[in-house]
Amino acid sequence: AMTTRRSFLGGAAATAGVASLAGAAQPGGGAMIVSTWDFGAAANDAAFAKLKAGGSLIDAVEAGAMVPEADPNNHSVGYSGYPDRDGHVTLDAVIMDDAGGVGAVAALEDTVHAISVARRGLEKTPPTFIVHDDRI
């Protein structure tokens, strides 16, 4: 069973910050991948696989986020998300690297992987937050 956010916080408080995370993936390098939603297990698996294949931490974050973004049964994020009040499905994403660089995008339409657009913004443009911009 996946560890819930509530049970994680309760366990962490009870054990002074040391908790058992049955639903988390932990690669050999000491990094831990934790998700708070039920669809997180598949995202964790994708992120863990990317790390095992030699990918960087930011590669793993992107790979993990791409799973729910592409899931046609997930209506909270991604291309299958519910439309806004005007009937448009718009996507937002933010990604941060280990040096503190941030890429963020909002109000994207006609894309599946907003996380990849945010990463490209992080790597290619000076602004850290771009709203529906064709430059990237």
Side-chain angles (χ1 to χ4, degrees):
M2 178 166 280
T3 302
T4 65
R5 185 172 35 200
R6 185 177 310 268
S7 66
F8 169 74
L9 292 174
T15 59
V18 179
S20 171
L21 296 173
Q26 187 167 5
M32 184 174 287
I33 302 163
V34 179
S35 296
T36 59
W37 296 94
D38 59 351
F39 53 77
N44 290 355
D45 291 344
F48 183 62
K50 183 62 80 170
L51 287 175
K52 283 182 68 174
S56 67
L57 288 174
I58 200 163
D59 292 336
V61 169
E62 182 180 22
M66 290 172 78
V67 172
E69 284 181 338
D71 183 353
N73 297 312
N74 185 334
H75 301 294
S76 63
V77 298
Y79 81 97
S80 193
Y82 289 123
D84 62 19
R85 68 179 182 151
D86 298 322
H88 301 279
V89 175
T90 57
L91 307 178
D92 309 325
V94 63
I95 192 167
M96 177 181 273
D97 65 18
D98 58 343
V102 177
V105 294
L108 297 181
E109 295 183 58
D110 302 317
T111 187
V112 175
H113 295 296
I115 193 67
S116 297
V117 180
R119 181 175 180 178
R120 185 172 170 119
L122 163 69
E123 296 172 345
K124 303 289 184 186
T125 66
T128 59
F129 188 65
I130 300 169
V131 178
H132 193 67
D133 191 324
D134 293 332
R135 290 181 298 159
I136 57 174

